[in-house]
Amino acid sequence: MAQGWLAEGAGIQAEGEHRLIPLSESAPGSEEPRYEGHALVERPSLERGPMHWRERLPPLLLTAFEPHLPTAHEVQGDVLLVKLEPEVEPHAGTIAEAMLAQFSHVRVVCVDRGVTGPFRIRDVQVIAARGDDTSTVTQVKEHGLAYTLDPSKAYFSARLSGERQIAMDAIQQHHKRLQRRLVVYDPYAGVGPNLGLPLDGGVVESAVVGDLNAEAIPFMEANLSHIIARSAFPEARLEVRVGDGRAWRHDGTLLGQADVLFVNLPHEGLDHLDDLIPLLAEDALVIGWAVIERDEEAEVAQHLTACFAAAGRDVTVDVQATKGFSTTRTMVRLVVLATTGS
Ligand SMILES: C[S@@+](CC[C@H](N)C(=O)[O-])C[C@H]1O[C@@H](n2cnc3c(N)ncnc32)[C@H](O)[C@@H]1O
């Protein structure tokens, strides 16, 4: 490569136990003893395919619709989800075939018409598949853990994987502080990704997880049971509940127990806090996410402090913007350490 002898873009080939390295026009011929005993052979070159799925579209479609073609997509396991502008919806099939040809690990391409309703489920329609299996059930690997899920039935976003690592770091600190395994509640758990890392790391004594969406429950239960079985603490207890997270306060067995509480309901979770605070142990960590108006982090921190104070709790509150949500709104991560006031 340093000598300019590598034919760039032609691809290295395998032949039995050998690797064939493509030589450029400027590489010396076989008469020169420069290849240290390696044989020179002639084979047809493997040309590199298109670098982008767009290059696989019919040229007329590409020029006519370029400004409307999708610039992003999300892959969950082997399911690709793509949002389409109305102008290119009639060409969804051609676009999907180009994507299937480009991404060899993708099995199904779906149009994603966005999340709807209280369960935040995507309106998903399969437009092309490799082979006969058009199911949207898939397996996602995140931080080395596997989650089986169906984006058409229960909420999941691969974009939040960084948030889950940050949550795990906060939980580990809390675990060190309390010097024991933790009781963790996740009333808005979806298919369970918030609990994956803490369970796998063996810092959880018992986990209570739930969701209002009954279709999320079998995925959540299977995913977390599977993780526990292979974890650093396979004796961890898992309790799964279907229903409204706000109703947990009416079950006396759940009150005052949670060392860690996830509040992962970004559009209304802040309004659920009064119902959730009674679930907390004396020294508890609350990790939540909320969509708020831009630059209102300080107001949200004040609101949280007031909510907890009204329930007789002292808190330290950290509100951090995680990503732009729209021009006016932003997603924040809330980390609250709540103790019982003296
Ligand atoms: C933003 S998703 C988060 C899911 C999961 N924690 C994750 O990170 O993938 C919110 C979840 O809360 C559920 N949900 C909505 N309202 C609820 C309620 N009142 N009680 C319990 N779950 C609810 C939805 O079905 C959805 O699965």
Side-chain angles (χ1 to χ4, degrees), residues 118-121 154-157 160 164 186-194 210-213 216 243-246 248 264-266 268 272 289:
F119 301 157
R120 315 295 299 159
I121 304 173
Y155 177 92
F156 180 82
S157 172
L160 299 176
R164 296 193 264 266
D186 188 359
Y188 314 96
V191 300
N194 285 332
D211 204 284
L212 190 59
N213 176 6
D244 192 323
R246 284 167 293 193
W248 288 24
N264 195 354
L265 195 62
E268 49 175 307
H272 287 211
W289 291 269

PDB file of all heavy atoms in Angstrom, residues 118-121 154-157 160 164 186-194 210-213 216 243-246 248 264-266 268 272 289, ligand 1:
ATOM      1  N   PRO A 118     -50.545   5.966  23.732  1.00  0.00           N
ATOM      2  CA  PRO A 118     -49.887   5.968  25.039  1.00  0.00           C
ATOM      3  C   PRO A 118     -48.752   4.940  25.136  1.00  0.00           C
ATOM      4  O   PRO A 118     -47.854   5.084  25.952  1.00  0.00           O
ATOM      5  CB  PRO A 118     -51.021   5.609  26.007  1.00  0.00           C
ATOM      6  CG  PRO A 118     -52.069   4.960  25.170  1.00  0.00           C
ATOM      7  CD  PRO A 118     -51.957   5.543  23.808  1.00  0.00           C
ATOM      8  N   PHE A 119     -48.793   3.901  24.312  1.00  0.00           N
ATOM      9  CA  PHE A 119     -47.757   2.875  24.401  1.00  0.00           C
ATOM     10  C   PHE A 119     -46.516   3.261  23.599  1.00  0.00           C
ATOM     11  O   PHE A 119     -45.525   2.530  23.592  1.00  0.00           O
ATOM     12  CB  PHE A 119     -48.270   1.521  23.903  1.00  0.00           C
ATOM     13  CG  PHE A 119     -49.473   1.003  24.651  1.00  0.00           C
ATOM     14  CD1 PHE A 119     -50.319   0.074  24.057  1.00  0.00           C
ATOM     15  CD2 PHE A 119     -49.764   1.434  25.934  1.00  0.00           C
ATOM     16  CE1 PHE A 119     -51.419  -0.415  24.744  1.00  0.00           C
ATOM     17  CE2 PHE A 119     -50.866   0.962  26.626  1.00  0.00           C
ATOM     18  CZ  PHE A 119     -51.698   0.028  26.026  1.00  0.00           C
ATOM     19  N   ARG A 120     -46.572   4.401  22.903  1.00  0.00           N
ATOM     20  CA  ARG A 120     -45.443   4.866  22.086  1.00  0.00           C
ATOM     21  C   ARG A 120     -45.019   3.791  21.079  1.00  0.00           C
ATOM     22  O   ARG A 120     -43.825   3.555  20.868  1.00  0.00           O
ATOM     23  CB  ARG A 120     -44.221   5.258  22.946  1.00  0.00           C
ATOM     24  CG  ARG A 120     -44.508   6.085  24.163  1.00  0.00           C
ATOM     25  CD  ARG A 120     -45.035   7.441  23.863  1.00  0.00           C
ATOM     26  NE  ARG A 120     -44.141   8.284  23.088  1.00  0.00           N
ATOM     27  CZ  ARG A 120     -44.543   9.339  22.376  1.00  0.00           C
ATOM     28  NH1 ARG A 120     -45.814   9.639  22.323  1.00  0.00           N
ATOM     29  NH2 ARG A 120     -43.682  10.072  21.713  1.00  0.00           N
ATOM     30  N   ILE A 121     -45.999   3.138  20.477  1.00  0.00           N
ATOM     31  CA  ILE A 121     -45.685   2.081  19.505  1.00  0.00           C
ATOM     32  C   ILE A 121     -45.561   2.705  18.129  1.00  0.00           C
ATOM     33  O   ILE A 121     -46.312   3.608  17.775  1.00  0.00           O
ATOM     34  CB  ILE A 121     -46.803   1.024  19.471  1.00  0.00           C
ATOM     35  CG1 ILE A 121     -47.013   0.460  20.859  1.00  0.00           C
ATOM     36  CG2 ILE A 121     -46.449  -0.103  18.516  1.00  0.00           C
ATOM     37  CD1 ILE A 121     -48.193  -0.457  20.915  1.00  0.00           C
ATOM     38  N   ALA A 154     -44.255  -3.091  20.727  1.00  0.00           N
ATOM     39  CA  ALA A 154     -43.819  -2.471  21.977  1.00  0.00           C
ATOM     40  C   ALA A 154     -42.695  -1.495  21.685  1.00  0.00           C
ATOM     41  O   ALA A 154     -41.894  -1.703  20.764  1.00  0.00           O
ATOM     42  CB  ALA A 154     -43.340  -3.540  22.962  1.00  0.00           C
ATOM     43  N   TYR A 155     -42.619  -0.443  22.497  1.00  0.00           N
ATOM     44  CA  TYR A 155     -41.623   0.606  22.301  1.00  0.00           C
ATOM     45  C   TYR A 155     -40.200   0.079  22.517  1.00  0.00           C
ATOM     46  O   TYR A 155     -39.929  -0.651  23.458  1.00  0.00           O
ATOM     47  CB  TYR A 155     -41.883   1.749  23.283  1.00  0.00           C
ATOM     48  CG  TYR A 155     -40.856   2.842  23.190  1.00  0.00           C
ATOM     49  CD1 TYR A 155     -41.050   3.933  22.361  1.00  0.00           C
ATOM     50  CD2 TYR A 155     -39.668   2.753  23.910  1.00  0.00           C
ATOM     51  CE1 TYR A 155     -40.077   4.921  22.255  1.00  0.00           C
ATOM     52  CE2 TYR A 155     -38.695   3.741  23.805  1.00  0.00           C
ATOM     53  CZ  TYR A 155     -38.914   4.810  22.970  1.00  0.00           C
ATOM     54  OH  TYR A 155     -37.950   5.775  22.868  1.00  0.00           O
ATOM     55  N   PHE A 156     -39.309   0.479  21.655  1.00  0.00           N
ATOM     56  CA  PHE A 156     -37.871   0.281  21.875  1.00  0.00           C
ATOM     57  C   PHE A 156     -37.139   1.304  21.018  1.00  0.00           C
ATOM     58  O   PHE A 156     -37.550   1.583  19.898  1.00  0.00           O
ATOM     59  CB  PHE A 156     -37.408  -1.131  21.471  1.00  0.00           C
ATOM     60  CG  PHE A 156     -35.934  -1.339  21.705  1.00  0.00           C
ATOM     61  CD1 PHE A 156     -35.460  -1.676  22.955  1.00  0.00           C
ATOM     62  CD2 PHE A 156     -35.017  -1.153  20.670  1.00  0.00           C
ATOM     63  CE1 PHE A 156     -34.087  -1.827  23.188  1.00  0.00           C
ATOM     64  CE2 PHE A 156     -33.652  -1.302  20.889  1.00  0.00           C
ATOM     65  CZ  PHE A 156     -33.196  -1.647  22.153  1.00  0.00           C
ATOM     66  N   SER A 157     -36.070   1.878  21.541  1.00  0.00           N
ATOM     67  CA  SER A 157     -35.246   2.756  20.720  1.00  0.00           C
ATOM     68  C   SER A 157     -33.778   2.444  20.958  1.00  0.00           C
ATOM     69  O   SER A 157     -33.283   2.560  22.084  1.00  0.00           O
ATOM     70  CB  SER A 157     -35.521   4.219  21.047  1.00  0.00           C
ATOM     71  OG  SER A 157     -34.569   5.012  20.350  1.00  0.00           O
ATOM     72  N   LEU A 160     -31.195   4.998  22.598  1.00  0.00           N
ATOM     73  CA  LEU A 160     -31.053   5.275  24.029  1.00  0.00           C
ATOM     74  C   LEU A 160     -30.012   4.390  24.703  1.00  0.00           C
ATOM     75  O   LEU A 160     -29.897   4.400  25.932  1.00  0.00           O
ATOM     76  CB  LEU A 160     -32.410   5.113  24.724  1.00  0.00           C
ATOM     77  CG  LEU A 160     -33.490   6.070  24.194  1.00  0.00           C
ATOM     78  CD1 LEU A 160     -34.832   5.799  24.846  1.00  0.00           C
ATOM     79  CD2 LEU A 160     -33.075   7.516  24.437  1.00  0.00           C
ATOM     80  N   ARG A 164     -28.636   4.162  28.746  1.00  0.00           N
ATOM     81  CA  ARG A 164     -28.709   2.988  29.628  1.00  0.00           C
ATOM     82  C   ARG A 164     -27.362   2.730  30.305  1.00  0.00           C
ATOM     83  O   ARG A 164     -27.306   2.303  31.448  1.00  0.00           O
ATOM     84  CB  ARG A 164     -29.214   1.790  28.840  1.00  0.00           C
ATOM     85  CG  ARG A 164     -30.659   2.085  28.378  1.00  0.00           C
ATOM     86  CD  ARG A 164     -31.382   0.936  27.865  1.00  0.00           C
ATOM     87  NE  ARG A 164     -31.350   0.801  26.431  1.00  0.00           N
ATOM     88  CZ  ARG A 164     -32.286   1.262  25.587  1.00  0.00           C
ATOM     89  NH1 ARG A 164     -33.337   1.910  26.038  1.00  0.00           N
ATOM     90  NH2 ARG A 164     -32.183   1.070  24.292  1.00  0.00           N
ATOM     91  N   ASP A 186     -39.020  -0.549  37.727  1.00  0.00           N
ATOM     92  CA  ASP A 186     -39.137   0.095  36.417  1.00  0.00           C
ATOM     93  C   ASP A 186     -40.577  -0.064  35.936  1.00  0.00           C
ATOM     94  O   ASP A 186     -40.913  -1.034  35.249  1.00  0.00           O
ATOM     95  CB  ASP A 186     -38.131  -0.544  35.433  1.00  0.00           C
ATOM     96  CG  ASP A 186     -38.058   0.213  34.103  1.00  0.00           C
ATOM     97  OD1 ASP A 186     -38.800   1.214  33.946  1.00  0.00           O
ATOM     98  OD2 ASP A 186     -37.266  -0.185  33.234  1.00  0.00           O
ATOM     99  N   PRO A 187     -41.462   0.874  36.312  1.00  0.00           N
ATOM    100  CA  PRO A 187     -42.883   0.704  35.984  1.00  0.00           C
ATOM    101  C   PRO A 187     -43.212   0.957  34.518  1.00  0.00           C
ATOM    102  O   PRO A 187     -44.321   0.664  34.087  1.00  0.00           O
ATOM    103  CB  PRO A 187     -43.586   1.756  36.857  1.00  0.00           C
ATOM    104  CG  PRO A 187     -42.532   2.410  37.687  1.00  0.00           C
ATOM    105  CD  PRO A 187     -41.205   2.096  37.089  1.00  0.00           C
ATOM    106  N   TYR A 188     -42.272   1.532  33.752  1.00  0.00           N
ATOM    107  CA  TYR A 188     -42.519   1.862  32.335  1.00  0.00           C
ATOM    108  C   TYR A 188     -41.438   1.156  31.515  1.00  0.00           C
ATOM    109  O   TYR A 188     -40.694   1.778  30.757  1.00  0.00           O
ATOM    110  CB  TYR A 188     -42.458   3.380  32.129  1.00  0.00           C
ATOM    111  CG  TYR A 188     -43.224   4.144  33.183  1.00  0.00           C
ATOM    112  CD1 TYR A 188     -42.586   4.676  34.311  1.00  0.00           C
ATOM    113  CD2 TYR A 188     -44.604   4.295  33.075  1.00  0.00           C
ATOM    114  CE1 TYR A 188     -43.299   5.350  35.289  1.00  0.00           C
ATOM    115  CE2 TYR A 188     -45.327   4.966  34.061  1.00  0.00           C
ATOM    116  CZ  TYR A 188     -44.670   5.490  35.163  1.00  0.00           C
ATOM    117  OH  TYR A 188     -45.383   6.143  36.133  1.00  0.00           O
ATOM    118  N   ALA A 189     -41.352  -0.146  31.674  1.00  0.00           N
ATOM    119  CA  ALA A 189     -40.144  -0.877  31.269  1.00  0.00           C
ATOM    120  C   ALA A 189     -40.106  -1.276  29.799  1.00  0.00           C
ATOM    121  O   ALA A 189     -39.058  -1.692  29.310  1.00  0.00           O
ATOM    122  CB  ALA A 189     -39.976  -2.120  32.139  1.00  0.00           C
ATOM    123  N   GLY A 190     -41.225  -1.214  29.071  1.00  0.00           N
ATOM    124  CA  GLY A 190     -41.208  -1.665  27.679  1.00  0.00           C
ATOM    125  C   GLY A 190     -40.706  -3.105  27.603  1.00  0.00           C
ATOM    126  O   GLY A 190     -41.195  -3.981  28.323  1.00  0.00           O
ATOM    127  N   VAL A 191     -39.714  -3.357  26.753  1.00  0.00           N
ATOM    128  CA  VAL A 191     -39.198  -4.723  26.634  1.00  0.00           C
ATOM    129  C   VAL A 191     -38.028  -4.970  27.598  1.00  0.00           C
ATOM    130  O   VAL A 191     -37.367  -5.997  27.529  1.00  0.00           O
ATOM    131  CB  VAL A 191     -38.803  -5.067  25.180  1.00  0.00           C
ATOM    132  CG1 VAL A 191     -40.002  -4.942  24.256  1.00  0.00           C
ATOM    133  CG2 VAL A 191     -37.645  -4.201  24.696  1.00  0.00           C
ATOM    134  N   GLY A 192     -37.780  -3.993  28.489  1.00  0.00           N
ATOM    135  CA  GLY A 192     -36.859  -4.239  29.606  1.00  0.00           C
ATOM    136  C   GLY A 192     -35.440  -3.700  29.545  1.00  0.00           C
ATOM    137  O   GLY A 192     -34.635  -4.037  30.414  1.00  0.00           O
ATOM    138  N   PRO A 193     -35.074  -2.837  28.564  1.00  0.00           N
ATOM    139  CA  PRO A 193     -33.648  -2.525  28.406  1.00  0.00           C
ATOM    140  C   PRO A 193     -32.998  -1.776  29.567  1.00  0.00           C
ATOM    141  O   PRO A 193     -31.787  -1.867  29.740  1.00  0.00           O
ATOM    142  CB  PRO A 193     -33.606  -1.674  27.123  1.00  0.00           C
ATOM    143  CG  PRO A 193     -34.971  -1.092  27.010  1.00  0.00           C
ATOM    144  CD  PRO A 193     -35.901  -2.134  27.561  1.00  0.00           C
ATOM    145  N   ASN A 194     -33.780  -1.036  30.383  1.00  0.00           N
ATOM    146  CA  ASN A 194     -33.147  -0.311  31.504  1.00  0.00           C
ATOM    147  C   ASN A 194     -32.553  -1.258  32.536  1.00  0.00           C
ATOM    148  O   ASN A 194     -31.603  -0.922  33.224  1.00  0.00           O
ATOM    149  CB  ASN A 194     -34.176   0.575  32.219  1.00  0.00           C
ATOM    150  CG  ASN A 194     -34.505   1.814  31.430  1.00  0.00           C
ATOM    151  OD1 ASN A 194     -33.682   2.293  30.663  1.00  0.00           O
ATOM    152  ND2 ASN A 194     -35.707   2.321  31.606  1.00  0.00           N
ATOM    153  N   GLY A 210     -42.794  -3.342  34.906  1.00  0.00           N
ATOM    154  CA  GLY A 210     -44.154  -3.396  34.382  1.00  0.00           C
ATOM    155  C   GLY A 210     -44.337  -2.484  33.200  1.00  0.00           C
ATOM    156  O   GLY A 210     -43.434  -1.720  32.829  1.00  0.00           O
ATOM    157  N   ASP A 211     -45.510  -2.588  32.606  1.00  0.00           N
ATOM    158  CA  ASP A 211     -45.874  -1.705  31.506  1.00  0.00           C
ATOM    159  C   ASP A 211     -47.393  -1.774  31.347  1.00  0.00           C
ATOM    160  O   ASP A 211     -48.018  -2.788  31.656  1.00  0.00           O
ATOM    161  CB  ASP A 211     -45.184  -2.136  30.197  1.00  0.00           C
ATOM    162  CG  ASP A 211     -45.052  -0.990  29.214  1.00  0.00           C
ATOM    163  OD1 ASP A 211     -46.075  -0.624  28.585  1.00  0.00           O
ATOM    164  OD2 ASP A 211     -43.943  -0.433  29.088  1.00  0.00           O
ATOM    165  N   LEU A 212     -47.938  -0.680  30.870  1.00  0.00           N
ATOM    166  CA  LEU A 212     -49.377  -0.632  30.593  1.00  0.00           C
ATOM    167  C   LEU A 212     -49.702  -1.430  29.334  1.00  0.00           C
ATOM    168  O   LEU A 212     -50.822  -1.907  29.153  1.00  0.00           O
ATOM    169  CB  LEU A 212     -49.762   0.847  30.399  1.00  0.00           C
ATOM    170  CG  LEU A 212     -51.219   1.238  30.326  1.00  0.00           C
ATOM    171  CD1 LEU A 212     -51.963   0.826  31.589  1.00  0.00           C
ATOM    172  CD2 LEU A 212     -51.335   2.761  30.142  1.00  0.00           C
ATOM    173  N   ASN A 213     -48.710  -1.561  28.463  1.00  0.00           N
ATOM    174  CA  ASN A 213     -48.901  -2.274  27.195  1.00  0.00           C
ATOM    175  C   ASN A 213     -48.702  -3.774  27.407  1.00  0.00           C
ATOM    176  O   ASN A 213     -47.576  -4.257  27.558  1.00  0.00           O
ATOM    177  CB  ASN A 213     -47.882  -1.729  26.175  1.00  0.00           C
ATOM    178  CG  ASN A 213     -47.936  -2.465  24.850  1.00  0.00           C
ATOM    179  OD1 ASN A 213     -48.801  -3.321  24.637  1.00  0.00           O
ATOM    180  ND2 ASN A 213     -47.008  -2.131  23.970  1.00  0.00           N
ATOM    181  N   ALA A 216     -46.063  -5.757  25.523  1.00  0.00           N
ATOM    182  CA  ALA A 216     -44.628  -5.641  25.858  1.00  0.00           C
ATOM    183  C   ALA A 216     -44.229  -6.705  26.880  1.00  0.00           C
ATOM    184  O   ALA A 216     -43.058  -7.092  26.960  1.00  0.00           O
ATOM    185  CB  ALA A 216     -44.345  -4.247  26.424  1.00  0.00           C
ATOM    186  N   GLY A 243     -49.980  -3.056  33.735  1.00  0.00           N
ATOM    187  CA  GLY A 243     -50.917  -2.030  34.199  1.00  0.00           C
ATOM    188  C   GLY A 243     -50.255  -0.682  34.367  1.00  0.00           C
ATOM    189  O   GLY A 243     -49.079  -0.498  34.035  1.00  0.00           O
ATOM    190  N   ASP A 244     -51.024   0.243  34.909  1.00  0.00           N
ATOM    191  CA  ASP A 244     -50.591   1.630  35.071  1.00  0.00           C
ATOM    192  C   ASP A 244     -49.587   1.740  36.222  1.00  0.00           C
ATOM    193  O   ASP A 244     -49.881   1.305  37.344  1.00  0.00           O
ATOM    194  CB  ASP A 244     -51.830   2.488  35.354  1.00  0.00           C
ATOM    195  CG  ASP A 244     -51.532   3.979  35.251  1.00  0.00           C
ATOM    196  OD1 ASP A 244     -50.422   4.395  35.656  1.00  0.00           O
ATOM    197  OD2 ASP A 244     -52.400   4.709  34.764  1.00  0.00           O
ATOM    198  N   GLY A 245     -48.436   2.346  35.938  1.00  0.00           N
ATOM    199  CA  GLY A 245     -47.402   2.508  36.959  1.00  0.00           C
ATOM    200  C   GLY A 245     -47.900   3.270  38.185  1.00  0.00           C
ATOM    201  O   GLY A 245     -47.432   3.037  39.298  1.00  0.00           O
ATOM    202  N   ARG A 246     -48.850   4.183  37.970  1.00  0.00           N
ATOM    203  CA  ARG A 246     -49.357   4.982  39.089  1.00  0.00           C
ATOM    204  C   ARG A 246     -50.116   4.126  40.097  1.00  0.00           C
ATOM    205  O   ARG A 246     -50.310   4.526  41.243  1.00  0.00           O
ATOM    206  CB  ARG A 246     -50.274   6.106  38.579  1.00  0.00           C
ATOM    207  CG  ARG A 246     -49.512   7.237  37.960  1.00  0.00           C
ATOM    208  CD  ARG A 246     -50.422   8.159  37.206  1.00  0.00           C
ATOM    209  NE  ARG A 246     -50.983   7.488  36.032  1.00  0.00           N
ATOM    210  CZ  ARG A 246     -51.615   8.109  35.050  1.00  0.00           C
ATOM    211  NH1 ARG A 246     -51.778   9.411  35.099  1.00  0.00           N
ATOM    212  NH2 ARG A 246     -52.090   7.436  34.026  1.00  0.00           N
ATOM    213  N   TRP A 248     -49.163   1.290  41.304  1.00  0.00           N
ATOM    214  CA  TRP A 248     -48.279   0.507  42.181  1.00  0.00           C
ATOM    215  C   TRP A 248     -48.404   0.978  43.629  1.00  0.00           C
ATOM    216  O   TRP A 248     -48.229   0.210  44.552  1.00  0.00           O
ATOM    217  CB  TRP A 248     -46.821   0.621  41.718  1.00  0.00           C
ATOM    218  CG  TRP A 248     -46.513  -0.124  40.449  1.00  0.00           C
ATOM    219  CD1 TRP A 248     -47.381  -0.486  39.461  1.00  0.00           C
ATOM    220  CD2 TRP A 248     -45.219  -0.605  40.015  1.00  0.00           C
ATOM    221  NE1 TRP A 248     -46.719  -1.127  38.446  1.00  0.00           N
ATOM    222  CE2 TRP A 248     -45.390  -1.213  38.762  1.00  0.00           C
ATOM    223  CE3 TRP A 248     -43.937  -0.543  40.558  1.00  0.00           C
ATOM    224  CZ2 TRP A 248     -44.339  -1.785  38.044  1.00  0.00           C
ATOM    225  CZ3 TRP A 248     -42.886  -1.110  39.854  1.00  0.00           C
ATOM    226  CH2 TRP A 248     -43.083  -1.725  38.616  1.00  0.00           C
ATOM    227  N   ASN A 264     -39.351   6.257  33.040  1.00  0.00           N
ATOM    228  CA  ASN A 264     -39.015   6.396  31.620  1.00  0.00           C
ATOM    229  C   ASN A 264     -40.281   6.631  30.809  1.00  0.00           C
ATOM    230  O   ASN A 264     -40.719   5.786  30.037  1.00  0.00           O
ATOM    231  CB  ASN A 264     -38.289   5.127  31.156  1.00  0.00           C
ATOM    232  CG  ASN A 264     -37.602   5.330  29.827  1.00  0.00           C
ATOM    233  OD1 ASN A 264     -37.750   6.377  29.209  1.00  0.00           O
ATOM    234  ND2 ASN A 264     -36.864   4.348  29.385  1.00  0.00           N
ATOM    235  N   LEU A 265     -40.881   7.788  31.056  1.00  0.00           N
ATOM    236  CA  LEU A 265     -42.122   8.147  30.360  1.00  0.00           C
ATOM    237  C   LEU A 265     -41.993   9.633  30.003  1.00  0.00           C
ATOM    238  O   LEU A 265     -42.583  10.498  30.647  1.00  0.00           O
ATOM    239  CB  LEU A 265     -43.296   7.906  31.319  1.00  0.00           C
ATOM    240  CG  LEU A 265     -44.693   7.866  30.732  1.00  0.00           C
ATOM    241  CD1 LEU A 265     -44.821   6.723  29.731  1.00  0.00           C
ATOM    242  CD2 LEU A 265     -45.717   7.715  31.831  1.00  0.00           C
ATOM    243  N   PRO A 266     -41.182   9.916  28.966  1.00  0.00           N
ATOM    244  CA  PRO A 266     -40.710  11.294  28.771  1.00  0.00           C
ATOM    245  C   PRO A 266     -41.797  12.356  28.607  1.00  0.00           C
ATOM    246  O   PRO A 266     -41.571  13.504  28.891  1.00  0.00           O
ATOM    247  CB  PRO A 266     -39.851  11.190  27.505  1.00  0.00           C
ATOM    248  CG  PRO A 266     -39.393   9.773  27.481  1.00  0.00           C
ATOM    249  CD  PRO A 266     -40.528   8.974  28.041  1.00  0.00           C
ATOM    250  N   GLU A 268     -44.967  12.402  30.033  1.00  0.00           N
ATOM    251  CA  GLU A 268     -45.852  12.682  31.163  1.00  0.00           C
ATOM    252  C   GLU A 268     -45.314  12.202  32.507  1.00  0.00           C
ATOM    253  O   GLU A 268     -45.983  12.335  33.536  1.00  0.00           O
ATOM    254  CB  GLU A 268     -47.244  12.081  30.916  1.00  0.00           C
ATOM    255  CG  GLU A 268     -47.191  10.626  30.472  1.00  0.00           C
ATOM    256  CD  GLU A 268     -48.574   9.987  30.355  1.00  0.00           C
ATOM    257  OE1 GLU A 268     -49.347  10.036  31.322  1.00  0.00           O
ATOM    258  OE2 GLU A 268     -48.855   9.434  29.279  1.00  0.00           O
ATOM    259  N   HIS A 272     -46.387  11.978  37.014  1.00  0.00           N
ATOM    260  CA  HIS A 272     -46.641  10.740  37.765  1.00  0.00           C
ATOM    261  C   HIS A 272     -45.896  10.719  39.106  1.00  0.00           C
ATOM    262  O   HIS A 272     -46.098   9.823  39.904  1.00  0.00           O
ATOM    263  CB  HIS A 272     -46.181   9.519  36.954  1.00  0.00           C
ATOM    264  CG  HIS A 272     -47.068   9.200  35.781  1.00  0.00           C
ATOM    265  ND1 HIS A 272     -47.258   7.922  35.314  1.00  0.00           N
ATOM    266  CD2 HIS A 272     -47.829   9.979  34.988  1.00  0.00           C
ATOM    267  CE1 HIS A 272     -48.073   7.947  34.270  1.00  0.00           C
ATOM    268  NE2 HIS A 272     -48.427   9.177  34.050  1.00  0.00           N
ATOM    269  N   TRP A 289     -36.412  10.358  32.430  1.00  0.00           N
ATOM    270  CA  TRP A 289     -36.192  11.152  31.223  1.00  0.00           C
ATOM    271  C   TRP A 289     -37.453  11.961  30.968  1.00  0.00           C
ATOM    272  O   TRP A 289     -38.567  11.480  31.217  1.00  0.00           O
ATOM    273  CB  TRP A 289     -35.887  10.252  30.021  1.00  0.00           C
ATOM    274  CG  TRP A 289     -34.552   9.592  30.136  1.00  0.00           C
ATOM    275  CD1 TRP A 289     -33.369  10.079  29.663  1.00  0.00           C
ATOM    276  CD2 TRP A 289     -34.242   8.353  30.801  1.00  0.00           C
ATOM    277  NE1 TRP A 289     -32.341   9.219  29.982  1.00  0.00           N
ATOM    278  CE2 TRP A 289     -32.853   8.155  30.670  1.00  0.00           C
ATOM    279  CE3 TRP A 289     -34.998   7.404  31.474  1.00  0.00           C
ATOM    280  CZ2 TRP A 289     -32.204   7.044  31.205  1.00  0.00           C
ATOM    281  CZ3 TRP A 289     -34.359   6.292  32.013  1.00  0.00           C
ATOM    282  CH2 TRP A 289     -32.981   6.118  31.876  1.00  0.00           C
TER     283      TRP A 289
HETATM  284  C1  LIG B   1     -40.706   5.718  26.370  1.00  0.00           C
HETATM  285  S1  LIG B   1     -41.231   4.060  26.612  1.00  0.00           S
HETATM  286  C2  LIG B   1     -39.886   3.405  27.519  1.00  0.00           C
HETATM  287  C3  LIG B   1     -39.788   1.925  27.436  1.00  0.00           C
HETATM  288  C4  LIG B   1     -38.486   1.313  27.962  1.00  0.00           C
HETATM  289  N1  LIG B   1     -38.184   1.753  29.302  1.00  0.00           N
HETATM  290  C5  LIG B   1     -37.338   1.595  27.014  1.00  0.00           C
HETATM  291  O1  LIG B   1     -36.446   2.370  27.360  1.00  0.00           O
HETATM  292  O2  LIG B   1     -37.294   1.007  25.931  1.00  0.00           O
HETATM  293  C6  LIG B   1     -42.529   4.237  27.777  1.00  0.00           C
HETATM  294  C7  LIG B   1     -43.255   2.938  28.110  1.00  0.00           C
HETATM  295  O3  LIG B   1     -44.243   3.221  29.115  1.00  0.00           O
HETATM  296  C8  LIG B   1     -45.447   2.517  28.815  1.00  0.00           C
HETATM  297  N2  LIG B   1     -46.523   3.291  29.449  1.00  0.00           N
HETATM  298  C9  LIG B   1     -47.197   4.368  29.010  1.00  0.00           C
HETATM  299  N3  LIG B   1     -48.046   4.831  29.940  1.00  0.00           N
HETATM  300  C10 LIG B   1     -47.905   4.005  31.026  1.00  0.00           C
HETATM  301  C11 LIG B   1     -48.499   3.950  32.309  1.00  0.00           C
HETATM  302  N4  LIG B   1     -49.414   4.859  32.699  1.00  0.00           N
HETATM  303  N5  LIG B   1     -48.112   2.982  33.162  1.00  0.00           N
HETATM  304  C12 LIG B   1     -47.186   2.046  32.784  1.00  0.00           C
HETATM  305  N6  LIG B   1     -46.588   2.032  31.574  1.00  0.00           N
HETATM  306  C13 LIG B   1     -46.954   3.006  30.710  1.00  0.00           C
HETATM  307  C14 LIG B   1     -45.482   2.450  27.304  1.00  0.00           C
HETATM  308  O4  LIG B   1     -46.243   1.350  26.869  1.00  0.00           O
HETATM  309  C15 LIG B   1     -43.993   2.311  26.943  1.00  0.00           C
HETATM  310  O5  LIG B   1     -43.603   0.960  26.858  1.00  0.00           O
END
